[in-house]
Amino acid sequence: MAGRMGGSTAPRLKDVAEAAGVSVKTVSNVVNGSVHVAEETRARVQQAIDSLGYHPNVMARRLRTGRSGVIALAFPELPSPYFAELAVEVIAAARRHGCTVLMDDTAGDPGAELRIASGLGDPMIDGVILSPLGLDQAELVSRERPIPLVLLGEADFGPVADRVHIDNVAAARAATQHLIDQGYRRIGAIGWQDPSPRATAQQRLLGYTQALEGAELPVEQALFPPVRSYFRPDGAAAMRRLLKLPDRPEAVFCFNDLMALGAMRAAHEAGLRVPEDIALVGFDDVEEAEYAIPSLTTIAPDKTKIAEAAVGALLDRIANGYTEPSRMITPGFRLVVRESSRRR
Amino acid sequence: MAGRMGGSTAPRLKDVAEAAGVSVKTVSNVVNGSVHVAEETRARVQQAIDSLGYHPNVMARRLRTGRSGVIALAFPELPSPYFAELAVEVIAAARRHGCTVLMDDTAGDPGAELRIASGLGDPMIDGVILSPLGLDQAELVSRERPIPLVLLGEADFGPVADRVHIDNVAAARAATQHLIDQGYRRIGAIGWQDPSPRATAQQRLLGYTQALEGAELPVEQALFPPVRSYFRPDGAAAMRRLLKLPDRPEAVFCFNDLMALGAMRAAHEAGLRVPEDIALVGFDDVEEAEYAIPSLTTIAPDKTKIAEAAVGALLDRIANGYTEPSRMITPGFRLVVRESSRRR
């Protein structure tokens, strides 16, 4: 009972310091997201925070430091498991720095993206990590309240904000090259958008065409039918179009896993086996890819590194402002070969 | 160019009123989430808001009305597509009332659930919709800042807050009864938790046992192995245990779709066909269930109604306070029969 009886028994900064064997100042640095703490020390402090159940009060912290420790994370497509999995990594990275993450789904709407890039006008939001889809560079530069901002993904806004993204052209080239290496010659692509392709569509199509051209294979427009968005039904519809071609592809590179899983279902409904009749490669390495039947070969961006880089860059800007020029951080990726692309 | 040159050209409340053919007061009622606007009028105003690109400034609104129009939505398992799909519905419902939703992932941590139930101490958050997992009733009642709160899901906290949930016992009974009706006799279940089962586990197991008992089939503990959490790997591990039984089940009811999809993969890896060798039913009707190979039979909670009820109840409390006693709202569900449970 006693433990529940009053606020005075809640663990405090000095209890955490004692348990971790560090100074109160060091705990405070960890909790306030300072980047100037050794990783080993941070881990020890986090462990003490976790085991004691210590939680900084955000309003009290804001009064003390001028910062709340709340950051916003906004993506364009909440139902996309890639964003959900990335969000889990961002939340974990933020938590290691004592920060809370609030998420916003912009649905790719330029107005919604602009509002969140201004922190919704909420003085509690210290900074924002945004994956933009419809936003325009001029709007971003002239936003109402230019709080610290880190952009995720392919869209290039020039040096107006730090940006974290993988090399999409190289990744798409690797995915397509894998199919070429497996002996496939007639290779389609699902994910092109026309009109107004998103940056993702442009860069992944470029990687696809580079790989085909490198292997002296023809690039045919009929082999990359346009899609409206990047969800399962889009992949299924595009696959149905490809299967209607007089000379259908033997393999298809899909610009994300969701479309690949939709395409897989469409192939199944057409009575085709994957990979025996048609091979598939996706992009994102969402958990669903590993559990699909057949399991899906895919490009795995390093989500942990992406999240760590985004949170690290944001907290650095929150703490130190914009004295340094904008940075571009490019975490790696790898090709994960599974059942869907094995040579018949 | 002119359109971009200054804030004065941004659409205002009276532009929306003019376009919708209603009074400024009516637009204001819609934007501020009043529940006293006819659905037809609200739709017309929303259409004008969308076509003009009108966006209320949340800080200005807060100064004018004492409310910001920002509500928080918190769930325990962000990587779960059920929560992502429900969040999309909540965001859409909130948007129809002119509100912005910020999301928080609590990971089921009681401390995190308690902090969000107090709105994180953020004065911008008008109210909270929370799907609790680890929270304790006493903690909830004595929370720091008792802002309007609506609970989602099975956990019963008594009359401390409005709650929206489907009848889980009836839904689990319907799923199991479907397998019985298909002629299966030896039916397992995946999703029991021991120790400390979540409310979901208790209610769905109860529905499962009620259906078996109703058909005079034995209830055997070996047929419902416990799981640690509700993700794909948990379902796969539980299925591997069931398949090791000397007398393995002919069909399995899984307490969510993710576990069913993990179980499906485990059956595939053991060389079994679904449904020919073992039938499967899930729960949630996530989009992935429809695209799985084979497609997954499942219970579809009415996510749109759940979201509308939660947002409606919350906005009513924000506007009118707690003069009325706590309400319990129970939207419906339906059984969606697909390939995974068709009788061999």
Side-chain angles (χ1 to χ4, degrees):
Chain A
M1 281 297 284
R4 292 247 185 238
M5 283 194 66
S8 65
T9 58
R12 290 181 302 178
L13 220 54
K14 76 176 177 59
D15 303 319
V16 176
E18 209 163 287
V22 300
S23 69
V24 167
K25 174 76 184 140
T26 300
V27 177
S28 168
N29 281 343
V30 170
V31 163
N32 292 314
S34 164
V35 291
H36 304 297
V37 180
E39 197 41 52
E40 189 270 335
T41 310
R42 186 190 309 288
R44 197 138 41 90
V45 170
Q46 187 62 52
Q47 199 175 17
I49 286 172
D50 290 346
S51 69
L52 290 173
Y54 170 75
H55 293 297
N57 177 302
V58 288
M59 275 306 265
R61 189 206 289 196
R62 192 172 157 72
L63 290 170
R64 206 172 56 241
T65 67
R67 298 199 294 273
S68 66
V70 176
I71 64 179
L73 170 66
F75 10 64
E77 290 171 348
L78 179 64
S80 168
Y82 175 71
F83 288 113
E85 293 181 12
L86 191 56
V88 169
E89 296 283 355
V90 170
I91 290 165
R95 194 164 168 284
R96 286 193 289 273
H97 294 274
C99 288
T100 298
V101 176
L102 288 177
M103 289 167 284
D104 185 29
D105 176 28
T106 62
D109 174 65
E113 293 183 349
L114 192 62
R115 283 194 303 288
I116 192 69
S118 306
L120 293 175
D122 183 348
M124 281 286 284
I125 293 177
D126 287 340
V128 176
I129 298 174
L130 167 66
S131 175
L133 189 59
L135 191 57
D136 161 300
Q137 179 169 347
E139 288 177 330
L140 183 64
V141 171
S142 64
R143 70 192 192 277
E144 209 172 297
R145 180 170 167 257
I147 61 170
L149 173 71
V150 171
L151 298 173
L152 292 181
E154 294 79 71
D156 186 2
F157 287 88
V160 302
D162 298 319
R163 182 155 71 98
V164 182
H165 69 127
I166 67 162
D167 184 339
N168 272 268
V169 179
R173 204 165 51 222
T176 312
Q177 188 61 49
H178 162 68
L179 290 170
I180 296 169
D181 293 344
Q182 294 284 301
Y184 298 106
R185 287 292 166 268
R186 200 162 167 75
I187 301 171
I190 292 180
W192 176 240
Q193 296 190 303
D194 186 25
S196 51
R198 61 178 93 184
T200 306
Q202 286 172 330
Q203 294 175 24
R204 295 185 189 174
L205 191 77
L206 182 58
Y208 159 79
T209 57
Q210 283 179 354
L212 293 184
E213 285 164 0
E216 297 183 0
L217 295 170
V219 174
E220 288 176 40
Q221 212 173 334
L223 288 180
F224 49 94
V227 298
R228 210 176 60 86
S229 55
Y230 271 41
F231 294 104
R232 293 179 191 83
D234 303 292
M239 183 57 124
R240 283 190 288 266
R241 279 185 66 173
L242 287 174
L243 295 181
K244 273 190 202 127
L245 292 178
D247 189 8
R248 68 164 173 81
E250 311 159 291
V252 180
F253 164 45
C254 302
F255 294 1
N256 76 2
D257 286 350
L258 279 194
M259 289 190 291
L261 293 160
M264 190 182 281
R265 178 76 207 176
H268 173 77
E269 287 174 3
L272 298 178
R273 290 159 309 162
V274 175
E276 292 83 350
D277 300 315
I278 190 158
L280 282 174
V281 175
F283 198 116
D284 285 347
D285 195 28
V286 299
E287 193 184 79
E288 188 177 345
E290 188 183 339
Y291 282 82
I293 301 171
S295 57
L296 182 66
T297 296
T298 188
I299 294 289
D302 190 335
K303 297 183 192 96
T304 307
K305 283 250 172 64
I306 293 171
E308 275 172 2
V311 170
L314 186 65
L315 294 180
D316 183 36
R317 292 305 188 180
I318 291 170
N320 304 314
Y322 281 79
T323 49
E324 301 285 318
S326 287
R327 275 159 295 191
M328 190 131 90
I329 307 166
T330 309
F333 64 85
R334 64 203 172 87
L335 173 75
V336 181
V337 178
R338 298 203 181 98
E339 296 163 355
S340 70
S341 66
R342 244 168 244 156
R343 190 58 179 143
R344 41 200 142 171
Chain B
M1 284 297 283
R4 294 245 183 236
M5 283 193 65
S8 66
T9 58
R12 290 182 302 179
L13 220 54
K14 76 178 180 48
D15 303 320
V16 176
E18 208 163 285
V22 300
S23 70
V24 168
K25 173 75 185 142
T26 300
V27 177
S28 167
N29 281 344
V30 170
V31 164
N32 293 313
S34 164
V35 291
H36 305 295
V37 179
E39 197 41 52
E40 189 270 334
T41 310
R42 186 192 307 288
R44 197 139 39 89
V45 171
Q46 186 62 50
Q47 199 173 19
I49 285 173
D50 290 345
S51 68
L52 291 173
Y54 170 76
H55 293 297
N57 176 304
V58 287
M59 274 306 266
R61 188 206 290 194
R62 192 174 157 71
L63 289 171
R64 205 172 57 242
T65 67
R67 297 199 293 273
S68 66
V70 176
I71 64 179
L73 170 66
F75 11 64
E77 290 170 348
L78 178 64
S80 168
Y82 175 71
F83 288 113
E85 293 180 12
L86 190 56
V88 169
E89 297 284 355
V90 169
I91 290 166
R95 194 164 167 282
R96 286 192 290 272
H97 294 274
C99 288
T100 299
V101 176
L102 287 176
M103 289 167 284
D104 185 29
D105 175 29
T106 62
D109 174 66
E113 292 182 351
L114 192 61
R115 285 195 302 287
I116 192 70
S118 305
L120 292 175
D122 183 347
M124 283 283 286
I125 294 177
D126 287 342
V128 176
I129 298 173
L130 167 67
S131 174
L133 188 59
L135 191 58
D136 162 300
Q137 179 169 346
E139 288 177 331
L140 182 65
V141 171
S142 63
R143 70 193 192 276
E144 210 173 297
R145 181 170 165 255
I147 62 171
L149 173 71
V150 171
L151 298 174
L152 292 182
E154 295 80 71
D156 186 2
F157 287 87
V160 301
D162 298 319
R163 182 154 71 98
V164 182
H165 69 126
I166 68 163
D167 184 339
N168 272 267
V169 178
R173 204 166 48 222
T176 311
Q177 188 61 48
H178 162 68
L179 290 170
I180 296 169
D181 293 344
Q182 293 285 301
Y184 298 106
R185 285 294 166 266
R186 199 163 166 74
I187 300 171
I190 291 179
W192 176 240
Q193 295 189 306
D194 185 26
S196 50
R198 60 178 95 187
T200 308
Q202 286 173 330
Q203 294 175 22
R204 295 184 189 174
L205 190 77
L206 181 59
Y208 159 79
T209 57
Q210 284 179 353
L212 293 185
E213 285 164 1
E216 298 184 359
L217 294 171
V219 174
E220 287 175 40
Q221 211 173 335
L223 288 179
F224 48 97
V227 298
R228 209 177 61 86
S229 55
Y230 271 40
F231 295 104
R232 294 177 190 84
D234 303 294
M239 184 56 125
R240 283 190 289 268
R241 279 185 66 172
L242 287 174
L243 296 181
K244 274 192 203 126
L245 291 177
D247 188 9
R248 67 166 175 79
E250 311 159 291
V252 180
F253 163 45
C254 302
F255 294 1
N256 77 0
D257 286 350
L258 278 194
M259 288 191 291
L261 293 159
M264 189 183 279
R265 177 76 208 176
H268 174 76
E269 288 176 1
L272 298 177
R273 292 159 307 163
V274 175
E276 293 84 348
D277 299 314
I278 190 158
L280 282 175
V281 175
F283 199 115
D284 284 346
D285 195 29
V286 300
E287 192 184 78
E288 188 178 346
E290 188 182 339
Y291 282 82
I293 302 170
S295 58
L296 182 66
T297 296
T298 188
I299 294 290
D302 190 335
K303 297 185 193 92
T304 306
K305 283 250 171 66
I306 292 171
E308 276 172 1
V311 170
L314 186 66
L315 293 179
D316 183 37
R317 293 305 188 177
I318 292 169
N320 305 315
Y322 281 79
T323 49
E324 300 286 317
S326 287
R327 276 161 293 193
M328 188 131 90
I329 307 165
T330 309
F333 65 85
R334 63 201 172 88
L335 173 76
V336 182
V337 177
R338 299 204 182 97
E339 296 161 355
S340 69
S341 66
R342 243 168 243 153
R343 190 58 180 144
R344 42 200 141 171

